[in-house]
Amino acid sequence: MAEVYDINIKKLDDRAVIPTYGSEYAAGADVYACMDEKTDIAPGETVLIHTGIAMEIPEGYAGLIYARSGLASKKGLAPANKVGVVDADYRGEIMVALHNHGTQIQSVEPGERIAQLVITPYVVGAFHQVDELNDTVRGDGGFGSTGRK
């Protein structure tokens, strides 16, 4: 079982839904749309969807906003920035920039699950400029350079 942390959440709107986990071992908690009425998203369009919540993510952790696989595969809707990052010191409303990757207008309903939130630890890098880097087998081989026969 994963370690459990208390996450303080403030409802900014009475209609807001606190994130929920869909199963016992789900890594991502579903995040819900909080709005007055259905919102249409045209093909190629990005719309900011409110969640009506703000939260306190523990220091040393980040909240990562990912696509919900069902919404992405069935409606073509996914976060425009692919993965949103909610920093531990952010106290504003969590919003999701949903992009319609499909060819038809798609709708988001009030209270619909629009993304998933994963709380994860991170490492802060101390960057140092050097003249040379250590050699590796891969070296500077870029895109498509691994797995060749």
Side-chain angles (χ1 to χ4, degrees), residues 4-141:
V4 176
Y5 283 86
D6 291 328
I7 306 293
N8 293 329
I9 292 186
K10 180 181 180 180
K11 278 190 171 188
L12 305 173
D13 186 307
D14 289 336
R15 300 167 297 173
V17 177
I18 302 298
T20 61
Y21 290 95
S23 71
E24 181 180 4
Y25 298 108
D30 291 326
V31 178
Y32 296 81
C34 182
M35 53 193 166
D36 293 326
E37 57 191 23
K38 175 178 83 165
T39 298
D40 290 333
I41 305 175
E45 183 181 25
T46 299
V47 174
L48 270 179
I49 305 294
H50 292 262
T51 66
I53 59 170
M55 62 181 62
E56 292 178 12
I57 295 172
E59 184 179 327
Y61 290 79
L64 302 181
I65 304 288
Y66 290 100
R68 288 195 68 253
S69 57
L71 198 64
S73 63
K74 294 175 185 169
K75 290 187 171 184
L77 297 176
N81 53 346
K82 306 305 178 214
V83 178
V85 178
V86 182
D87 296 312
D89 60 350
Y90 177 66
R91 293 296 182 267
E93 182 180 9
I94 306 299
M95 292 194 287
V96 178
L98 275 186
H99 182 79
N100 184 347
H101 294 276
T103 58
Q104 298 177 18
I105 294 173
Q106 296 295 338
S107 298
V108 175
E109 300 283 343
E112 184 173 354
R113 296 175 296 167
I114 55 168
Q116 57 182 323
L117 169 72
V118 176
I119 308 282
T120 187
Y122 64 88
V123 174
V124 174
F127 301 104
H128 303 279
Q129 181 177 341
V130 297
D131 292 327
E132 296 294 326
L133 300 174
N134 294 335
D135 286 332
T136 66
V137 173
R138 181 177 181 176
D140 62 1

